[in-house]
Amino acid sequence: MIYKGGCHCGRIKFEVEGNIESVVECNCSICKNRGYLLWFVGREQLHLATPEADLASYSFNKKVIKHNFCPTCGSGVFGIGTDKTGAAKVAVNVRCLDDIDLTKLKIMPFDGRSL
Ligand SMILES: [Zn+2]
């Protein structure tokens, strides 16, 4: 399945290939603050439909994750980092996907605050 998504104003558009088994609701400082519901996929499953240079990004703490957002409207669309094996991973904020019923998702709480 291919999900289309993007920011609120439309400057950032992307597609993600895959099936959403579950999403992570994490209690760490940034997830709590931005209200992320995250779907983890491989970097190759994300296809940007707008220029990568249009993304703004924010990093903090160890600065290993780029929390990407739209510089115009501020939507936090996805984060990019690497897993333990060094593979590039994307945490897609499913709130930024089109045509998604958030009430139908299996939400997995994650205690990121304690890490
Ligand atoms: Zn935008």
Side-chain angles (χ1 to χ4, degrees), residues 3-8 12 14 16 20 22-26 30-41 46 66-70 74-80 89-100 102 105:
Y3 291 91
K4 288 182 189 297
C7 69
H8 189 265
I12 309 297
F14 59 90
V16 191
I20 304 176
S22 61
V23 295
V24 171
E25 184 170 35
C26 172
I30 186 130
C31 291
K32 178 182 84 62
N33 184 287
R34 302 193 94 172
Y36 284 140
L37 284 174
L38 299 175
W39 173 34
F40 287 86
V41 297
L46 171 74
K66 288 172 80 172
H67 299 277
N68 293 307
F69 61 95
C70 171
S75 291
V77 284
F78 50 78
I80 295 183
K89 287 279 179 186
V90 178
V92 179
N93 183 9
V94 297
R95 292 184 186 277
C96 293
L97 297 177
D98 303 341
D99 304 320
I100 190 156
L102 296 172
L105 295 172

Side-chain angles (χ1 to χ4, degrees), residues 39-60:
W39 173 34
F40 287 86
V41 297
R43 175 65 185 86
E44 71 285 352
Q45 289 167 265
L46 171 74
H47 307 287
L48 270 168
T50 50
E52 192 162 353
D54 278 1
L55 285 167
S57 85
Y58 171 64
S59 296
F60 68 103

